[in-house]
Amino acid sequence: AAALLCLAIASAANSAAFSVVNALLLRPLPFHDPQQLVMVALRNVESTEIRPFSRDEFQQVSERVGPVVGLLAQTFLPMSLVADDGANVVEAQFVSENYFDILGVKPQIGSMPSAIGGDSAQCTLIIGHRLWQRRFQSRPDVVGRDVPLNGERCTIAGVAPAGFVGATSLIVTDVLVPSALYSAFMHSDADRVPIFGVMGRMAPGVSRQEVSARL
């Protein structure tokens, strides 16, 4: 029994490790021209520490890199969403307004790029395909519906396509929210807090060295 238990634990550990490696290194990203996608982080020149971006830093860098690389920002936060079967905890992803354009993702229904927009005070959501099936019974009339997210009224603008779980495949995204609303949901000025992971899409014909130099 002890031997079987040890084998079971080792097998489970190996399976978990392979799942992580497969998601991070082996499986191609399910996006258009994934070889053009890069991860971007800030580095402290004194300590060489790597850290994420604040929203203000992301906006400043995005404005300066020009056409060499388009950048998107994202961060995660568990939140409560009221659906057809009551309140549920969902994995919300706060994303920049160009998120879907950079990834090249089209909606299953509704609209995407215009829905995650700018500094609008109106909360608009994109819901994941899995959430749409499980919590809204795949109803096409979900677009335009108002739902409470952490007690705030938000409008569903679209449904992500099947198989899309977000830019970070290790965390399955249920709801996508404009990054401009993060401070409002957190009830604090979060624009200067380094919480956003950043990805970029290099322009065709541009090398990583050129992108690094421009950054």
Side-chain angles (χ1 to χ4, degrees), residues 59-78:
Q59 291 176 332
Q60 292 172 21
V61 174
S62 296
E63 293 170 357
R64 296 183 182 184
V65 293
V68 174
V69 58
L71 300 179
L72 65 83
Q74 58 183 349
T75 192
F76 298 89
L77 186 69

Side-chain angles (χ1 to χ4, degrees), residues 83-111:
D84 289 344
D85 57 350
N88 299 272
V89 176
V90 296
E91 191 66 52
Q93 185 177 12
F94 288 80
V95 299
S96 53
E97 57 266 26
N98 61 347
Y99 179 85
F100 296 107
D101 289 333
I102 296 295
L103 296 179
V105 175
K106 303 298 181 183
Q108 174 83 18
I109 58 173
S111 60

Side-chain angles (χ1 to χ4, degrees), residues 25-132:
L25 302 176
L26 303 180
R27 184 188 304 161
L29 293 172
F31 306 124
H32 174 66
D33 292 334
Q35 71 279 2
Q36 294 177 341
L37 295 173
V38 293
M39 300 296 293
V40 181
L42 289 174
R43 183 184 62 182
N44 187 315
V45 295
E46 297 178 353
S47 66
T48 69
E49 177 188 21
I50 298 296
R51 69 167 176 84
F53 285 69
S54 70
R55 189 166 179 269
D56 286 346
E57 289 169 336
F58 166 74
Q59 291 176 332
Q60 292 172 21
V61 174
S62 296
E63 293 170 357
R64 296 183 182 184
V65 293
V68 174
V69 58
L71 300 179
L72 65 83
Q74 58 183 349
T75 192
F76 298 89
L77 186 69
M79 305 184 82
S80 173
L81 177 76
V82 178
D84 289 344
D85 57 350
N88 299 272
V89 176
V90 296
E91 191 66 52
Q93 185 177 12
F94 288 80
V95 299
S96 53
E97 57 266 26
N98 61 347
Y99 179 85
F100 296 107
D101 289 333
I102 296 295
L103 296 179
V105 175
K106 303 298 181 183
Q108 174 83 18
I109 58 173
S111 60
M112 281 191 175
S114 61
I116 303 296
D119 297 317
S120 172
Q122 173 62 36
C123 176
T124 53
L125 303 178
I126 301 298
I127 62 174
H129 196 273
R130 184 184 67 169
L131 183 71
W132 179 52

